[in-house]
Amino acid sequence: MATNYTLPLVLHLILTLSLISVVSSVSEKDLLLAFKSSIEDPNSSLLNWSPNSTQYCNWTGITCSSSSPPSVTSLNLQNLNLSGEISPSICQLPNLHNLNLASNHFNQPIPLLLSKCGSLVTLNLSSNILWGTLPDQITHLSSLKELDFSNNRIQGQFPLSLGLLNGLQVLNLGGNSFSGTVHPPIFRNLSDLVVLDLSRNPSLTSKLPTEIGELGKLRVLLLQSSDFYGAIPESFQGLHELQVLDLSQNNLSGGVPKGLGLGMTKLVSVDLSQNMLSGSFPSDICYGRALVELSLHENSFSGSVPESISKCNTLQRFQVQDNMFSGNFPPGLWSMSDIVLIRAENNRFSGEIPDLVGVPSRLEQVQIDNNNFTGRIPHSLGRMHAMYRFSASLNGLNGNLPENFCDSPVMSIINLSHNSFSGPIPEFRNCIKLVSLSLADNRFTGNIPSSLAQLAVLTYIDLSSNDLSGEIPPELQNLKLALFNVSYNQLSGSVPLYIITGLPASYLQGNPGLCGPGLPNACSVLPKRRKSKNSKLLIAVVALTMTAVLVILTVIIFAIRRISQRKWSSSAWKPVLFGSLGISEDEILMALDDKNIIGRGPFGTVHVIELPDGDFVAVKKLMNLGVVSSKRVKNEIKTLAKARHKNLTKLLGFCYSDSVVLLIHEYVKKGSLGDALFRSELPLEWRFRLQIALGVAQGLAYLHTDYVPHLLHRNIKSNNILLDEDFRPKLTSYGLDRVTGEASYQACLASELGSFCYIAPEHSCSKKATEQMDVYSFGVVLLELITGRPAEQPDSRESVDVVKWVRRKINMTNGPLQVLDPKVSNSSQKEMFGALDLALHCTSIMPEKRPGMAEVVRTLHCLQDVIEPPMISSVE
Ligand SMILES: *[C@@H]1O[C@H](CO)[C@@H](O)[C@H](O)[C@H]1NC(C)=O
Ligand SMILES: *[C@@H]1O[C@H](CO)[C@@H](O)[C@H](O)[C@H]1NC(C)=O
Ligand SMILES: *[C@@H]1O[C@H](CO)[C@@H](O)[C@H](O)[C@H]1NC(C)=O
Ligand SMILES: *[C@@H]1O[C@H](CO)[C@@H](O)[C@H](O)[C@H]1NC(C)=O
Ligand SMILES: *[C@@H]1O[C@H](CO)[C@@H](O)[C@H](O)[C@H]1NC(C)=O
Ligand SMILES: *[C@@H]1O[C@H](CO)[C@@H](O)[C@H](O)[C@H]1NC(C)=O
Ligand SMILES: *[C@@H]1O[C@H](CO)[C@@H](O)[C@H](O)[C@H]1NC(C)=O
Ligand SMILES: *[C@@H]1O[C@H](CO)[C@@H](O)[C@H](O)[C@H]1NC(C)=O
Ligand SMILES: *[C@@H]1O[C@H](CO)[C@@H](O)[C@H](O)[C@H]1NC(C)=O
Ligand SMILES: *[C@@H]1O[C@H](CO)[C@@H](O)[C@H](O)[C@H]1NC(C)=O
């Protein structure tokens, strides 16, 4: 007790000795510690806020003035996962100008006592869980310029007194639960406002205050997704500085005021979409000469869009979809130099797409479905190489598709269904990113181009209801199709097995000439006639004579399906089990469904199945087969199964039919190294990571040199390395090329996104797979272990190949240090550098410079000896 009192006493003494500066700095520190003491900090972000350290200006989030003594001017603790109580003790910091606690988990009403922070200039409490009402007292913060309470759960009306904060420049109350009316007088004093955001308050049922139109400095006005109703005030014309106007998703009605946009020369974006606005096109908006985005979609506008729209030559995004616009679509819009997006679907526009010869275009996306467009697709459209979506379904477009229609290398969605196109479908070769192609319900003739099979990511193809003839190209089995609707054409010949087993039969209906197992027409004679030019006639004859047979067959097939409830009948399956699993192949087949899929790859899906004894097995379903004979498949899998090593997943058995092989593996619970990397769950101790690397290397060395016949893995990547509970790695998916056949294997590999950087650079120019390619892939995995970074970021477009990233870093001073995963303790640096050196050798551009796997194992062993006493490692 006594000591507790002596300190203040001494301080008081010092104070009286007029060393005021010292006192004020001591107490600033105490105030901060008091603030910290009421906060919960699960990540220990405020670890350095320690009573021992006197340099509180260096603490996380603190900024001090450069005066002497320094004084706290700013407290910025955003996004640190803090919770607990916001203590008003900080309001005693005399010079606190900026307080930012945004993006934390503070769950409390807005602290009333914050109103004592009289010197605050900016206050940011956005993205917390603040609730209750906005207190009147907030207006005591008379110096406030920026107030951000957005994305909380604040309720009630805006207090009228908000209008007293007359220095306010930013007012953001968006994303809360405010309700009632916005009282117009609030804005009379806020003449300095630059940003006003009242968006996303669904219970804010209010008219738009006329006064907002008098805020002459306003640049950003966001009022979307609330419940504003009534007309847009005429006064909004006065917002000359406005750059962004978003009134979308409200209940506004009436017209758009004449003159809106007239003086708004800086306007960048107008969004009036999803209201009930009506009337004709607000042509004055175009006078905002810097307009970049115009969204009027989902309203009730009618009439036409004037050609004068093309005067807004900075316009990039034009969105008027879901209205009742009619008349000629302004042709000038297509040739505007900056236009990137045109969305006009679901209107009644008419007119043609003009030929834009010699116009450089940035156009990326066009959606004009469900209008009354006519005429042809001009050749010039194919030269727009930024185009990634073109959809014009449900119009009256006609003529042939130009040869170059799909030349844009980024094109991914095409929908021209329900038009009157005719002629052949051109060869699509250059749009290698095409995902979805719909040409349904036109009058296309000729064959299905086999070049479609070259478009590796093509997944949805709808060619139904045309006049296509010929066979379904067998090459299409290279694609991973989710939709392939060719119903109601004149196709003939045998259907590739993969399409029959993988896709619903309804996709093929309405083509009496098609045949294959499971189809009404069973193909017994037809394949021989494939070369016959006159096959149509023959098919007609055959079809006639077989009609009766077909009916019977259909009935039988229906019956079979109902019994087996499966696309295949299990009698076609041949099981080979090594040892007893206590489960039959029928039970395995029945257990395969979408719910137990744990992985999807280019070769097929992986399911996990529980055995009667409670154990689990992983079942890998390989598709796209039919190239290798069943007998050979069986022998090859037996070869794979005989490879037994502690770092390979054990193959327990397999079943196969004509088109599918099921590989039954032991199930490794912890998931793959790839998962661990992606979730940042790699072990933090280098010892464990090295153990993983060594295990993988040993497994590979076994395949390459010890096992006879020598095997290549060919698909080493972190997703194919499974980890058991003790972080012991097991390789999976090895040698699948032997099962699928080389061509299918290559096609599958090529279609696999996100694993290009595991593939050795020489792969593209050499046909033959080599051990060195495996070594390269291993080097990439080793780099992942060293850096803690996935080799490729799966969802970022400009993903950085880890090999390139590391090489670039290493060339900088201090680079090698930056490469090491900072989460691993510094004490392992030496060993990690050793591993880095090895990884760089493995990933040499020149294959002959790469070490063999046996040498890799030796090197890793040495690195391990450095870490562990030899005694322990020799137990391994
Ligand atoms: C602060 O001092 C205490 C003892 O006075 C000590 O236990 C603690 O480790 C010190 N903390 C820091 C961060 O130095
Ligand atoms: C604290 O900041 C001062 C400058 O304000 C600096 O000289 C000093 O090195 C810093 N101390 C620590 C421990 O970071
Ligand atoms: C807090 O820690 C968790 C795991 O401990 C981590 O995922 C998260 O990124 C950390 N958050 C911050 C803000 O540092
Ligand atoms: C935030 O902290 C909680 C504990 O309060 C923790 O469970 C959670 O993982 C943390 N989340 C992040 C994103 O840091
Ligand atoms: C408040 O903080 C959030 C999160 O960091 C930030 O996005 C926002 O821009 C800040 N508000 C203001 C007005 O600066
Ligand atoms: C505007 O500011 C003045 C002076 O600060 C104040 O008297 C008046 O009440 C304010 N008006 C509104 C509507 O808040
Ligand atoms: C829109 O406003 C009208 C009155 O103008 C009202 O009758 C209607 O309920 C409102 N609709 C919604 C969704 O708020
Ligand atoms: C489509 O345009 C044609 C003339 O080009 C016209 O005769 C027809 O009425 C229009 N259809 C609709 C639904 O507007
Ligand atoms: C293509 O357009 C039609 C008609 O608008 C639509 O029904 C269909 O879903 C679209 N297809 C794709 C793949 O978007
Ligand atoms: C395939 O196309 C036909 C004709 O356009 C259509 O009736 C059928 O619903 C489509 N099937 C599927 C599964 O989309």
Side-chain angles (χ1 to χ4, degrees):
M1 269 298 189
T3 47
N4 268 359
Y5 281 109
T6 44
L7 185 65
L9 220 80
V10 172
L11 293 184
H12 198 73
L13 203 69
I14 296 168
L15 186 81
T16 51
L17 288 172
S18 75
L19 287 166
I20 294 162
S21 53
V22 175
V23 172
S24 80
S25 78
V26 167
S27 61
E28 284 207 346
K29 180 178 153 188
D30 289 345
L31 291 170
L32 290 170
L33 289 172
F35 175 76
K36 178 187 174 180
S37 68
S38 70
I39 280 184
E40 280 166 35
D41 177 15
N43 281 39
S44 300
S45 313
L46 304 185
L47 197 62
N48 63 4
W49 288 42
S50 138
N52 306 13
S53 108
T54 50
Q55 300 276 7
Y56 63 88
C57 285
N58 288 14
W59 291 355
T60 303
I62 309 271
T63 312
C64 288
S65 62
S66 52
S67 63
S68 133
S71 175
V72 177
T73 56
S74 167
L75 188 53
N76 181 354
L77 300 176
Q78 58 175 322
N79 199 12
L80 294 176
N81 201 8
L82 304 176
S83 55
E85 286 283 324
I86 302 173
S87 152
S89 63
I90 39 167
C91 286
Q92 293 169 47
L93 295 166
N95 294 309
L96 185 66
H97 297 321
N98 309 305
L99 177 58
N100 185 346
L101 303 175
S103 305
N104 285 296
H105 302 290
F106 291 110
N107 182 346
Q108 61 177 87
I110 297 175
L112 271 187
L113 289 167
L114 271 187
S115 57
K116 294 231 157 71
C117 290
S119 54
L120 276 188
V121 179
T122 73
L123 174 58
N124 192 343
L125 298 179
S126 64
S127 304
N128 278 286
I129 318 169
L130 301 177
W131 40 275
T133 56
L134 187 60
D136 264 321
Q137 286 86 338
I138 206 78
T139 54
H140 296 173
L141 302 174
S142 54
S143 325
L144 213 54
K145 290 202 167 125
E146 295 183 4
L147 179 61
D148 190 343
F149 281 150
S150 58
N151 302 320
N152 281 289
R153 298 185 191 157
I154 308 172
Q155 301 158 324
Q157 297 224 2
F158 293 135
L160 249 178
S161 55
L162 215 51
L164 290 169
L165 292 171
N166 53 14
L168 219 50
Q169 295 171 358
V170 176
L171 176 59
N172 189 348
L173 303 174
N176 279 291
S177 305
F178 287 108
S179 57
T181 304
V182 182
H183 294 292
I186 291 178
F187 299 100
R188 286 195 190 133
N189 275 353
L190 303 185
S191 54
D192 283 342
L193 268 191
V194 175
V195 175
L196 175 61
D197 185 344
L198 308 179
S199 65
R200 295 168 294 126
N201 283 286
S203 308
L204 205 55
T205 307
S206 179
K207 292 198 164 182
L208 289 176
T210 314
E211 280 75 359
I212 291 181
E214 276 140 36
L215 304 173
K217 297 182 182 165
L218 211 54
R219 280 189 227 147
V220 176
L221 179 56
L222 304 176
L223 304 176
Q224 75 272 18
S225 307
S226 290
D227 195 21
F228 290 105
Y229 63 91
I232 303 176
E234 299 276 336
S235 65
F236 276 30
Q237 298 165 28
L239 298 169
H240 293 298
E241 296 294 313
L242 207 59
Q243 296 174 2
V244 180
L245 172 63
D246 193 340
L247 302 177
S248 62
Q249 299 189 45
N250 280 293
N251 193 7
L252 300 170
S253 54
V256 176
K258 277 264 173 285
L260 188 71
L262 212 51
M264 303 181 178
T265 51
K266 294 173 182 151
L267 206 55
V268 170
S269 156
V270 180
D271 194 340
L272 306 178
S273 61
Q274 297 189 49
N275 281 291
M276 300 193 306
L277 297 167
S278 60
S280 56
F281 188 82
S283 54
D284 300 332
I285 280 181
C286 278
Y287 288 100
R289 261 161 300 164
L291 191 68
V292 169
E293 169 157 356
L294 177 63
S295 310
L296 305 173
H297 50 90
E298 291 169 70
N299 283 292
S300 305
F301 289 109
S302 58
S304 61
V305 173
E307 179 61 32
S308 61
I309 181 81
S310 42
K311 287 207 191 96
C312 323
N313 52 11
T314 50
L315 192 63
Q316 294 179 5
R317 291 181 291 278
F318 178 75
Q319 308 190 53
V320 297
Q321 70 271 27
D322 301 307
N323 279 292
M324 290 182 289
F325 284 116
S326 57
N328 203 20
F329 191 77
L333 206 70
W334 297 96
S335 51
M336 290 174 69
S337 58
D338 285 347
I339 197 88
V340 168
L341 169 69
I342 294 179
R343 287 196 62 179
E345 70 269 23
N346 303 323
N347 282 289
R348 292 182 210 142
F349 285 115
S350 55
E352 301 197 355
I353 303 172
D355 201 3
L356 308 163
V357 183
V359 180
S361 175
R362 295 174 52 197
L363 210 48
E364 292 175 0
Q365 186 176 348
V366 172
Q367 289 174 253
I368 53 172
D369 313 69
N370 196 17
N371 279 289
N372 198 7
F373 282 92
T374 50
R376 290 159 180 263
I377 299 267
H379 203 261
S380 49
L381 206 65
R383 287 197 290 266
M384 299 187 173
H385 283 186
M387 187 83 81
Y388 72 85
R389 175 170 194 165
F390 186 88
S391 81
S393 64
L394 291 163
N395 278 291
L397 296 166
N398 53 43
N400 286 10
L401 270 193
E403 277 298 317
N404 69 350
F405 177 66
C406 203
D407 271 5
S408 163
V410 291
M411 181 70 93
S412 59
I413 299 176
I414 291 176
N415 194 342
L416 299 177
S417 59
H418 310 290
N419 279 288
S420 305
F421 290 109
S422 54
I425 299 173
E427 300 283 342
F428 288 168
R429 289 215 174 81
N430 297 324
C431 42
I432 51 168
K433 296 249 171 85
L434 192 66
V435 173
S436 172
L437 173 66
S438 179
L439 304 176
D441 188 23
N442 280 288
R443 286 178 224 137
F444 284 108
T445 52
N447 293 339
I448 298 175
S450 58
S451 57
L452 288 180
Q454 311 290 312
L455 309 178
V457 292
L458 189 56
T459 315
Y460 305 92
I461 302 181
D462 190 350
L463 306 177
S464 61
S465 302
N466 279 290
D467 289 320
L468 298 170
S469 53
E471 292 189 353
I472 297 175
E475 295 89 342
L476 289 178
Q477 71 173 331
N478 294 344
L479 298 176
K480 287 204 294 289
L481 294 172
L483 186 155
F484 180 71
N485 195 343
V486 292
S487 57
Y488 304 104
N489 279 289
Q490 314 291 332
L491 298 169
S492 56
S494 73
V495 179
L497 212 52
Y498 145 76
I499 284 170
I500 293 186
T501 53
L503 296 168
S506 66
Y507 286 165
L508 303 171
Q509 68 189 329
N511 290 286
L514 285 180
C515 67
L519 293 185
N521 196 343
C523 259
S524 50
V525 269
L526 283 178
K528 279 184 193 155
R529 305 195 179 161
R530 273 167 57 172
K531 289 198 179 99
S532 157
K533 288 264 163 40
N534 216 352
S535 58
K536 259 192 194 170
L537 193 85
L538 286 170
I539 288 159
V541 173
V542 172
L544 260 174
T545 55
M546 287 182 79
T547 314
V549 183
L550 290 189
V551 173
I552 296 164
L553 265 179
T554 318
V555 170
I556 292 172
I557 282 157
F558 260 101
I560 289 175
R561 284 199 179 173
R562 285 182 65 175
I563 293 163
S564 71
Q565 299 272 308
R566 289 266 135 201
K567 274 196 233 91
W568 48 65
S569 79
S570 60
S571 61
W573 287 83
K574 299 174 197 71
V576 180
L577 301 178
F578 313 115
S580 164
L581 291 177
I583 185 169
S584 71
E585 75 274 14
D586 279 335
E587 285 165 311
I588 292 176
L589 287 174
M590 296 305 284
L592 296 182
D593 65 31
D594 281 357
K595 280 183 224 110
N596 54 27
I597 291 183
I598 52 168
R600 284 176 200 275
F603 301 100
T605 47
V606 183
H607 303 252
V608 57
I609 291 181
E610 187 171 3
L611 297 179
D613 64 2
D615 268 353
F616 290 88
V617 289
V619 177
K620 183 172 213 132
K621 184 166 147 200
L622 296 180
M623 301 265 279
N624 299 9
L625 298 165
V627 190
V628 184
S629 73
S630 298
K631 188 163 165 235
R632 172 126 179 259
V633 164
K634 190 167 150 188
N635 288 335
E636 293 292 358
I637 299 181
K638 280 187 172 166
T639 306
L640 292 183
K642 275 187 230 136
R644 293 280 158 125
H645 186 270
K646 66 181 182 352
N647 297 116
L648 299 179
T649 48
K650 213 177 280 161
L651 187 59
L652 305 173
F654 62 97
C655 328
Y656 60 98
S657 73
D658 282 346
S659 56
V660 178
V661 174
L662 303 177
L663 297 178
I664 304 159
H665 279 287
E666 67 176 320
Y667 173 58
V668 184
K669 289 191 192 60
K670 224 164 149 120
S672 73
L673 176 60
D675 295 337
L677 267 166
F678 187 71
R679 293 196 296 255
S680 305
E681 281 171 5
L682 277 190
L684 297 182
E685 281 181 62
W686 174 244
R687 182 162 66 92
F688 287 117
R689 296 200 194 181
L690 185 58
Q691 178 189 310
I692 295 172
L694 184 57
V696 174
Q698 284 168 333
L700 264 183
Y702 171 79
L703 289 178
H704 283 185
T705 49
D706 299 341
Y707 186 66
V708 184
H710 298 333
L711 293 177
L712 297 178
H713 186 296
R714 299 199 60 185
N715 196 8
I716 295 166
K717 52 181 187 170
S718 50
N719 283 341
N720 283 338
I721 297 168
L722 306 179
L723 299 177
D724 74 5
E725 295 93 276
D726 304 321
F727 292 110
R728 242 182 287 266
K730 284 175 184 286
L731 289 168
T732 178
S733 286
Y734 44 90
L736 290 186
D737 52 318
R738 293 171 161 259
V739 185
T740 61
E742 183 64 21
S744 315
Y745 190 80
Q746 294 279 1
C748 282
L749 268 195
S751 73
E752 189 172 23
L753 299 173
S755 55
F756 288 120
C757 63
Y758 292 98
I759 297 176
E762 73 271 17
H763 178 265
S764 53
C765 47
S766 111
K767 285 259 141 48
K768 198 169 167 301
T770 61
E771 280 177 21
Q772 284 95 348
M773 291 182 184
D774 273 355
V775 175
Y776 183 94
S777 312
F778 169 81
V780 176
V781 171
L782 187 54
L783 284 178
E784 290 181 307
L785 289 167
I786 294 166
T787 61
R789 296 165 65 97
E792 240 175 29
Q793 249 63 28
D795 36 31
S796 90
R797 270 197 177 191
E798 286 125 79
S799 66
V800 187
D801 179 334
V802 73
V803 179
K804 292 198 186 120
W805 181 80
V806 167
R807 286 188 189 277
R808 221 173 287 143
K809 284 270 176 195
I810 284 192
N811 291 335
M812 301 196 276
T813 39
N814 228 352
L817 253 181
Q818 290 179 38
V819 163
L820 306 188
D821 187 347
K823 294 194 286 297
V824 178
S825 150
N826 285 346
S827 61
S828 312
Q829 245 171 44
K830 198 167 144 236
E831 294 77 28
M832 288 176 84
F833 279 137
L836 181 59
D837 191 50
L838 178 65
L840 289 173
H841 273 100
C842 292
T843 53
S844 295
I845 305 290
M846 312 287 285
E848 60 277 13
K849 292 232 172 103
R850 297 176 205 149
M853 276 327 291
E855 189 187 335
V856 171
V857 170
R858 278 196 299 278
T859 314
L860 288 172
H861 259 308
C862 293
L863 288 173
Q864 196 180 40
D865 290 342
V866 178
I867 299 174
E868 292 173 34
M871 235 175 64
I872 295 175
S873 75
S874 64
V875 175
E876 232 317 88

